[in-house]
Amino acid sequence: MTRKARIIAASLALLLIVPTLAMAGKEARERADVDEQYKWDLSHIYATDADWEADYARLEAMLPEITGWEETYKGHLGESGEELLAFMKKNEELESLIERLYSYAVLKWHEDLRESAYQNYTQKVQMLLTQMAAATSWIQPELVAIPREKLQALLDNTEGLKIYQQSFDDMWRTQEHVLSEPEERILSLAGDVASVPADAYRQMTDADMKFGTFLDENGEEVEMTQARYMTYLQNPDRRVRRDAYRVYYDGYETYIHGTTSTYQGVVYRDLFYTRARNYGSCAERALDSDNVKVDVLENLINTINMNFAAVKKYNQIRKREMGLDTLYHWDYYVPIVSELDEEVPFEEAVATIQKGLKPLGKQYLKDMKAGFEGSWIDVYENAGKRSGAYSWGAYSLPHPYMLLNYENTLDDMFTVAHEMGHSLHTFYTSSNQPQVYGDYTIFVAEVASTTNEALLMHYLLEHEKDKRKRAYLIDHYIKQILGTVYTQVMFSEFEKVTHEMAERGEPLTQDALNAVYGELLNKYGGYEITYPEWAQIGWSRIPHFYRNFYVYKYATSYAAATAISRKILDGDKGALEAYLSFLKSGSSDYPVELLKKAGVDLSTPAPIEATCKLLGELVDELDRLLQES
């Protein structure tokens, strides 16, 4: 009935935000201690909680009216174009109200997950949404029941209605999976139950989970947090890395029975909806929302599986440069050129990003500056804050919002560029599309973010002639590809295998999940990384699994962004205009078609193969630079 506000998380490689060692011995600061200039301003949505509560009361009071829509409109939506248009507008007004309420509640909650008031706000909206979904479950079956020729005539002959053409085309495309009215009502009532596994997982891992302490390189006791984990895996002291790794995984191992249950729940949820809607597999149902065939996912996995040679060589280089006989997983994230691992304060990152994205033109830079200066961004970690990074957008909001946990590293600078790509994609879509197409799918979302990263990396490499510094940047580039493409495909393969197990009726026990994940770790590491036995529970720390078959889009998007950024940098005629037009397109066409207009055809293996080739070239250059310097 309505789309909830969209949340676009950063890729896992960027999700593990890293703090500086300056904070290593300190507990996370409270939110009140963070300077106001580094906080987002949610008063742009609602000035006060009282305003939110007033709007919620208004929405709650609308429920009887919405329940009465069935009696008023059922059987009449196809009688006239004017009647149908009025109904579509009424529904959009409702969507706008829900988006504002939901966005404010969730964003306030994410400031501090320990704050029960905003968790309560979020749950209240979710429960009301479930009731409204049940009350409006008759709508899609009603529209599908209107003869296509008749409905098309209404679209063609009613002023203001033709704009919904793509929306109705998409409805007709999935018509065979729309159930009867009573069946749709039952599915809508399952909404609250279906959200429980993901909600429980977030509570366990973000609010309840404690990781314990370990000793840093100075012998000082350090409390592990989600945001600090990656810092200590980059520590030059191998003992510190090993201990940090162990403490971190101990936290997840403590909750392994719970996370096994939540993952089982999310897979069985997917299987329930797949069978209810008569799809052949969970993957088919998930990809169909973007009008993408399962062949695209299978081709992606197969292509990556045929291109591990560069991964193997990279890990051999790492082992050689670090002087190790055995490369353990906790050795993997240490910068090969460690002495160049310098801090990047937030203000410096912003300035560098603005220089790096100049190829996108003056208007893009102007709009990006407005985002940096307009209280869009919540910059630093505080106690209880949601981990990771994301951009949040909804058509009815005054502008997008960005959550960061910035800790002064090169990774963090790329995260800022990444999330600003999402935010400006949202900004341009909302500014140029009608509400019906005012969002976009994750399939295309990661193109905007990754194009920003590619342009930033090009700028940094173009201005770096020192061989050791250049090697450092290339190492970072390689890890971006490995994290955003190879790792995400590994996660996708894990999802595919475990969902297929459930489809065959095989139990998803902890041991079974560990076995699948352990095998994939070794394969995707080129059989050059040694993993301790407890690393097999690594699947339990991946929040992306709670949005089924989502992460493969990072890999396809990265390939598309690589191609687009290259066209722009090479000055291809019309490339920039085509890309900016793509950013303004929202969901006005199917995602694969939108990308074709931007100059990339993801229905073929060519973009993925080109990215694998790029990885090989970067690994070869890294090897040469390290041996020459």
Side-chain angles (χ1 to χ4, degrees):
M1 186 275 291
T2 181
R3 63 182 187 279
K4 291 183 180 179
R6 183 178 57 255
I7 178 171
I8 303 171
S11 66
L12 188 70
L14 301 174
L15 186 63
L16 300 171
I17 308 303
V18 289
T20 66
L21 293 179
M23 289 185 61
K26 303 177 182 178
E27 293 186 359
R29 57 189 154 187
E30 293 299 325
R31 186 166 183 82
D33 297 326
V34 178
D35 194 300
E36 291 298 320
Q37 67 176 316
Y38 299 115
K39 298 178 184 178
W40 56 27
D41 188 352
L42 300 184
S43 70
H44 297 174
I45 307 175
Y46 286 106
T48 66
D49 287 356
D51 293 328
W52 184 94
E53 290 169 354
D55 251 5
Y56 178 80
R58 182 161 68 93
L59 179 64
E60 195 172 31
M62 291 170 62
L63 185 58
E65 176 192 350
I66 295 165
T67 303
W69 282 2
E70 182 172 4
E71 182 177 348
T72 304
Y73 291 104
K74 188 177 179 183
H76 303 292
L77 288 180
E79 290 181 352
S80 76
E82 291 73 20
E83 185 87 356
L84 179 57
L85 179 60
F87 179 79
M88 299 297 287
K89 294 298 183 184
K90 187 184 290 285
N91 195 46
E92 287 178 352
E93 290 175 9
L94 177 63
E95 285 186 348
S96 294
L97 178 57
I98 291 172
E99 282 180 345
R100 290 195 304 275
L101 287 165
Y102 188 73
S103 295
Y104 182 84
V106 173
L107 296 176
K108 288 293 288 184
W109 183 28
H110 286 178
E111 292 177 354
D112 187 347
L113 292 170
R114 302 168 302 176
E115 178 52 68
S116 60
Y118 298 114
Q119 180 183 3
N120 183 49
Y121 276 14
T122 302
Q123 290 175 345
K124 286 172 66 175
V125 178
Q126 288 175 332
M127 288 188 289
L128 202 56
L129 274 172
T130 299
Q131 296 179 59
M132 290 183 175
T136 56
S137 59
W138 59 274
I139 295 174
Q140 191 166 8
E142 171 79 3
L143 292 171
V144 169
I146 301 171
R148 183 166 182 171
E149 297 77 10
K150 181 179 181 181
L151 191 51
Q152 186 62 58
L154 296 179
L155 293 172
D156 292 338
N157 299 315
T158 305
E159 184 178 357
L161 197 56
K162 185 66 175 177
I163 201 171
Y164 296 96
Q165 182 70 60
Q166 169 65 17
S167 178
F168 281 106
D169 285 345
D170 197 41
M171 179 189 72
W172 288 322
R173 179 182 65 82
T174 59
Q175 184 172 356
E176 64 181 299
H177 302 293
V178 178
L179 308 180
S180 68
E181 180 188 332
E183 290 170 325
E184 288 291 339
R185 186 181 297 275
I186 291 172
L187 288 187
S188 69
L189 289 171
D192 284 341
V193 177
S195 69
V196 168
D199 290 343
Y201 178 83
R202 283 193 297 269
Q203 283 297 106
M204 279 193 291
T205 57
D206 282 336
D208 296 338
M209 188 173 289
K210 300 294 182 183
F211 294 102
T213 63
F214 63 102
L215 299 181
D216 68 9
E217 69 275 17
N218 298 316
E220 296 181 4
E221 189 173 24
V222 177
E223 178 186 7
M224 176 58 72
T225 68
Q226 293 278 10
R228 290 174 179 169
Y229 170 62
M230 195 59 70
T231 292
Y232 289 102
L233 288 196
Q234 296 183 22
N235 192 291
D237 189 322
R238 199 180 195 194
R239 192 273 308 163
V240 172
R241 297 197 302 270
R242 182 199 64 210
D243 291 353
Y245 188 95
R246 175 78 257 195
V247 167
Y248 186 71
Y249 274 81
D250 279 348
Y252 280 94
E253 192 167 24
T254 300
Y255 285 81
I256 191 63
H257 298 297
T259 52
T260 297
S261 295
T262 58
Y263 187 70
Q264 289 169 346
V266 83
V267 173
Y268 296 147
R269 174 203 69 188
D270 297 340
L271 186 58
F272 166 74
Y273 284 115
T274 293
R275 290 175 173 170
R277 294 203 175 279
N278 301 308
Y279 282 98
S281 69
C282 293
E284 180 189 348
R285 182 182 71 87
L287 272 62
D288 192 45
S289 63
D290 289 327
N291 196 23
V292 173
K293 304 303 179 185
V294 176
D295 290 350
V296 172
L297 175 62
E298 293 176 342
N299 174 71
L300 173 65
I301 293 173
N302 292 337
T303 301
I304 293 298
N305 272 254
M306 294 172 63
N307 285 277
F308 285 129
V311 177
K312 184 178 184 70
K313 181 176 180 179
Y314 173 71
N315 288 329
Q316 289 172 338
I317 293 169
R318 172 172 289 281
K319 188 188 300 184
R320 180 192 74 207
E321 292 296 316
M322 296 179 69
L324 301 175
D325 294 326
T326 302
L327 182 68
Y328 284 100
H329 194 206
W330 51 76
D331 300 318
Y332 180 75
Y333 299 96
V334 179
I336 292 178
V337 192
S338 57
E339 64 268 25
L340 301 180
D341 189 19
E342 301 170 352
E343 290 189 3
V344 185
F346 182 69
E347 287 75 11
E348 179 182 331
V350 169
T352 304
I353 290 167
Q354 289 173 329
K355 294 174 184 176
L357 301 189
K358 279 186 179 180
L360 294 180
K362 292 182 180 179
Q363 188 61 51
Y364 191 96
L365 293 177
K366 179 181 177 181
D367 295 331
M368 180 169 63
K369 183 179 180 182
F372 282 128
E373 297 178 355
S375 300
W376 292 15
I377 309 174
D378 207 79
V379 178
Y380 294 115
E381 179 188 19
N382 59 253
K385 184 177 176 180
R386 186 194 187 278
S387 62
Y390 64 66
S391 173
W392 183 287
Y395 191 82
S396 61
L397 298 187
H399 54 74
Y401 285 92
M402 289 168 53
L403 180 141
L404 305 173
N405 282 274
Y406 195 86
E407 293 292 349
N408 295 359
T409 69
L410 181 67
D411 277 350
D412 291 337
M413 180 167 68
F414 276 97
T415 298
V416 176
H418 182 106
E419 300 306 338
M420 185 55 76
H422 286 314
S423 293
L424 286 179
H425 192 181
T426 297
F427 178 76
Y428 286 131
T429 290
S430 298
S431 301
N432 290 277
Q433 290 295 326
Q435 185 170 340
V436 64
Y437 306 126
D439 61 357
Y440 48 84
T441 71
I442 300 297
F443 192 93
V444 298
E446 293 303 324
V447 174
S449 58
T450 311
T451 295
N452 277 11
E453 290 189 74
L455 293 173
L456 176 59
M457 178 58 77
H458 174 81
Y459 170 81
L460 294 174
L461 286 172
E462 187 177 47
H463 291 80
E464 188 54 72
K465 304 305 178 185
D466 181 272
K467 289 184 178 180
R468 293 292 290 177
K469 291 182 179 180
R470 186 174 178 83
Y472 174 80
L473 290 171
I474 289 176
D475 182 38
H476 187 275
Y477 201 173
I478 289 168
K479 287 189 287 188
Q480 281 186 318
I481 296 176
L482 292 176
T484 310
V485 179
Y486 280 75
T487 298
Q488 305 309 314
V489 175
M490 182 184 78
F491 293 158
S492 298
E493 190 168 352
F494 177 81
E495 286 186 290
K496 187 172 184 292
V497 170
T498 54
H499 279 79
E500 287 173 347
M501 289 170 62
E503 289 162 5
R504 293 191 299 265
E506 298 176 17
L508 298 179
T509 63
Q510 175 188 331
D511 288 343
L513 296 173
N514 288 355
V516 172
Y517 197 75
E519 181 180 344
L520 291 174
L521 281 175
N522 286 303
K523 182 171 67 171
Y524 280 79
Y527 296 98
E528 288 289 333
I529 301 175
T530 298
Y531 296 91
E533 183 178 357
W534 66 81
Q536 293 182 357
I537 70 168
W539 59 267
S540 70
R541 55 181 284 268
I542 312 303
H544 297 65
F545 289 156
Y546 292 82
R547 304 178 67 187
N548 64 315
F549 294 97
Y550 153 60
V551 292
Y552 87 95
K553 302 172 188 181
Y554 288 127
T556 53
S557 291
Y558 195 98
T562 298
I564 288 170
S565 61
R566 179 49 52 194
K567 290 175 184 289
I568 293 172
L569 289 168
D570 288 346
D572 286 10
K573 185 178 180 180
L576 177 58
E577 292 74 14
Y579 177 62
L580 294 177
S581 178
F582 159 78
L583 294 182
K584 299 172 184 177
S585 297
S587 56
S588 59
D589 203 346
Y590 296 120
V592 171
E593 298 305 313
L594 289 174
L595 287 171
K596 285 181 181 178
K597 296 173 185 176
V600 181
D601 187 356
L602 283 173
S603 66
T604 72
I608 303 300
E609 291 172 346
T611 300
C612 294
K613 181 182 178 182
L614 171 62
L615 175 65
E617 293 170 350
L618 290 170
V619 170
D620 288 344
E621 183 176 0
L622 177 67
D623 192 20
R624 177 179 58 80
L625 288 169
L626 290 174
Q627 296 199 58
E628 289 178 354
S629 59

